Structures are given as structure tokens and as C-alpha cells.
Amino acid sequence: VGFQENLILFGERGQFVLKGGDLLTPKTVSVTPITNYESDTSTTPLELGSYLYFPFTRGNFSGIREFSVNATTDNYDSAEITAHVPQYIPSSILDIAGSTTENLICLVSNKTADETKNMYVYKYYWEGNQKVLSSWSKFTFPFKIRGIEFVDSDLYIVAAKNGKTILLKMPMEEKLVDDNTSFNTYLDMRKEGTIGGGSIALSFVPESGDEI
């Protein structure tokens, strides 16, 4: 992952930095070990603001580390952001995405088929150099997640439902209010439409257990 003018390489038992001179050539390139934290290399580390986030396996569960560099001393360090919930996030992280606008990270595990219906959300807040909020929660959906990615404050989800692949947009903006109302309607797979002939065409195929 490109990070603060360096290329950080992640291995299962360590992290390395790749550097070169004014030109990156076979004669100037060097790879130097910087830290020795175990990591789950099946998922690409997430570059978010001044930090890198990467998962590691803890038995049947996963942990997440917050990787940083001191620009003055060129020292690299990592702090665990799941130390207070060591048995909350399942192992086998499928995908991870984050937003600096909303100060949150979302991740999905594919440990089991049913587990892909859950999305784990990390909400944080920095006040100067002190992190005053560090909380985890879980969203459960009526579909299986295949991938996630943020665009501004919107989380886009590629999912599978009843044998079909669907694309959904989930606004994660704080204090968001629906159009022309003073309240929010929280409803998965919401479809807006005008009832003319007594029916609305859905953009997905319902399953037997769905409540419409």
C-alpha cells in the first residue's frame, strides 16, 4: 500500500518499506523491515487519513490494527483498535472500507455464508492527538455482501439476493434527514415509487422470508 511517500509491504509476520533514490531502479531500491505484527494478507490494508488499517487473526476471531508513522522520527508503530472487543469480529475478513468524512470503517467477514449478511462498523473520533471515541457495532442485512466501497459519505454495497447480484447505496452521513421530512425512515432495500395501478416494481427478487 502507498503510504506517506513510501510503499508499505505487508507479510504474514511483518511489515516492510520499499524505498529508492531519486530514481527507483534495481540498483537504488531497498526493502527494510519496520515492524513485526502478524497480519491477515487475504485482505488489502485500508489507507485512511494518516493511518493504515489491517486485520490479523486471533483464533476464530479477527483483530484490526491502526498503523502509523512519525514523520519527524520516521518511526512506525501500530495500535490495536479491537482490544476492547477481542471476540466480536469473526475471522476471514472479506472486505474493508472507510470514510474520513464520517470517521468510520466498515468490514465484512466471509467465515460462513450467513456471516456475509453482517457488516461490522467502527466509529471513531479524534480530538487533537487523543482518540475520544472508539466503538464497534454490527449491521445485519437481508442479503449476502460481496464487496463494499465508500464514495464520499455513501457506502456502496455489492450483494447477492435470491440468486441475483444487486448494487445498493447506503448513506452514512450523520444527522441525515429524508427529502421533505423531519424524520428518517430506516428500511432495508427501500424502493421509492408512486402507486398508480396498485403495485410497485421492485429492483430485486424477494425471498420467501422477506417482509414487504
Side-chain angles (χ1 to χ4, degrees), residues 1-4 45-53 66-67 96-106 122 124 126 149-150:
V1 180
F3 181 59
Q4 298 197 10
L46 172 67
E47 181 185 3
L48 197 64
S50 301
Y51 299 91
L52 282 176
Y53 297 88
E66 188 177 65
F67 189 84
I96 182 171
S99 168
T100 55
T101 304
E102 302 305 325
N103 293 326
L104 59 83
I105 296 172
C106 301
Y122 176 63
Y124 63 91
W126 289 92
E149 187 61 63
F150 270 98

Side-chain angles (χ1 to χ4, degrees), residues 34-61:
I34 49 176
T35 52
N36 296 101
Y37 296 104
E38 293 183 356
S39 63
D40 179 1
T41 56
S42 63
T43 304
T44 302
L46 172 67
E47 181 185 3
L48 197 64
S50 301
Y51 299 91
L52 282 176
Y53 297 88
F54 64 93
F56 65 93
T57 301
R58 180 191 282 119
N60 293 323
F61 300 92

Side-chain angles (χ1 to χ4, degrees), residues 178-192:
D178 292 337
D179 296 338
N180 302 319
T181 67
S182 59
F183 58 88
N184 272 330
T185 301
Y186 296 103
L187 184 66
D188 289 332
M189 311 289 293
R190 183 172 63 181
K191 173 71 174 181
E192 182 178 355

